[in-house]
Amino acid sequence: MEQTRVLGVRVDCVDMDAALALIEDFVDSGSRHMVATVNPEFVMRAHDDREFARVLDAADLCLADGSGIVWAARRQGCVLAKPVTGVDLVPPLAEMCARRRFRLFLLGAAPGVADDLAERLRAEHVGLQVAAHSGSPDPSSDAETVSRIAAERPHMLLVAYGSPNQELWIDRVGEKLDGVAVAIGVGGAFDFLTGRVPRAPVWMRRVGMEWLFRLANQPWRIRRMAVLPVYALRVLRAHS
Ligand code: UDP
């Protein structure tokens, strides 16, 4: 698998189809895997947070989530047509789970959201076995969450706690999840897919302006997004 590093963080040079094929192989292998959807905020955090950097480095697949990552990766010869985002992964993963009879578990988001998405996915994919729980990334909830997941014996776990909580949660709790062959951090995907948060129109995504749409709809993101210009400058400086 071709890889690159964006300011030290690994990014695998795989598009959506290749990512899906790899994830299917992970489930077939049966052993434990973690997938991260790396965006510029991840890269900036990993710079200051060694534990988060370690967890990303240990991931089995680091997908290029966000046009800022695709741009930086392209400067180093890793040409991807578009980002592979958590929200775009969920529908084909649900299709894969239905087709291959993989059991799916949706963990995270506000109470009721994962259940709502599970219901929608069940309606769309005949035979899909999917369970859900909102849970919490707080360690005090780990025991309950683990027992709920264990009861469903999923092969694939999608974790929507936002970053870095979801990656740290998968790293901390993963080994207690017998039989879960792949755990994927998907950020706010459940909110988008249940229509709770509007997604940028396709044209905006195509020109790499999804961040602007998110900022307009969720102005509280300004603090998190404040790192983006610094990210861009560092990428330009690092690879000029
Ligand atoms: N979330 C959660 N528990 C928490 C904090 C956040 O389930 O303690 C969920 C939140 O409801 C949302 C997701 O995590 O669905 C984070 O979404 P966001 O868009 O912030 O994620 P990003 O992809 O930007 O990291």
Side-chain angles (χ1 to χ4, degrees):
M1 183 165 60
E2 200 190 327
Q3 295 181 350
T4 188
R5 284 199 175 258
V6 174
L7 302 178
V9 173
R10 198 183 96 222
V11 174
D12 296 316
C13 212
V14 297
D15 63 11
M16 176 61 82
D17 286 347
L20 292 170
L22 284 163
I23 293 169
E24 192 163 353
D25 287 348
F26 291 164
V27 181
D28 282 329
S29 82
S31 57
R32 202 152 51 84
H33 295 82
M34 177 191 165
V35 178
T37 49
V38 176
N39 67 29
E41 290 163 31
F42 282 48
V43 171
M44 294 301 283
R45 174 175 286 274
H47 193 258
D48 303 324
D49 180 341
R50 293 177 72 113
E51 175 63 1
F52 184 51
R54 179 195 66 75
V55 169
L56 289 182
D57 231 40
D60 299 279
L61 186 58
C62 286
L63 296 170
D65 182 337
S67 43
I69 296 290
V70 169
W71 165 72
R74 185 174 295 149
R75 289 171 60 84
Q76 296 170 85
C78 160
V79 179
L80 290 167
K82 55 180 188 172
V84 185
T85 66
V87 60
D88 289 328
L89 270 172
V90 177
L93 287 176
E95 185 280 326
M96 178 196 299
C97 287
R99 177 171 43 83
R100 295 291 319 277
R101 301 271 179 266
F102 297 156
R103 287 181 294 275
L104 178 63
F105 198 103
L106 310 178
L107 177 67
V113 178
D115 284 313
D116 181 4
L117 180 58
E119 217 165 282
R120 290 168 189 245
L121 294 176
R122 249 180 247 119
E124 277 167 36
H125 303 283
V126 180
L128 177 65
Q129 289 189 58
V130 52
H133 176 53
S134 61
S136 162
D138 191 279
S140 62
S141 297
D142 287 358
E144 192 204 339
T145 304
V146 168
S147 81
R148 280 188 182 243
I149 294 172
E152 303 293 338
R153 298 184 303 118
H155 303 94
M156 188 185 294
L157 172 64
L158 305 184
V159 187
Y161 284 149
S163 185
N165 285 336
Q166 60 201 16
E167 289 76 25
L168 299 176
W169 186 93
I170 293 169
D171 182 70
R172 184 177 75 240
V173 180
E175 64 186 15
K176 297 178 190 143
L177 303 172
D178 269 349
V180 175
V182 62
I184 310 175
V186 294
F190 299 176
D191 298 325
F192 287 122
L193 292 165
T194 57
R196 283 166 172 82
V197 174
R199 189 129 193 240
V202 174
W203 72 264
M204 274 188 112
R205 284 186 248 155
R206 208 174 284 148
V207 296
M209 299 295 272
E210 184 160 19
W211 63 272
L212 185 60
F213 185 89
R214 289 194 91 175
L215 189 58
N217 281 280
Q218 299 172 306
W220 52 266
R221 284 184 179 274
I222 188 81
R223 278 192 56 189
R224 286 172 50 173
M225 286 187 172
V227 299
L228 296 181
V230 182
Y231 167 80
L233 282 174
R234 285 195 188 162
V235 170
L236 288 170
R237 215 181 299 145
H239 307 295
S240 56

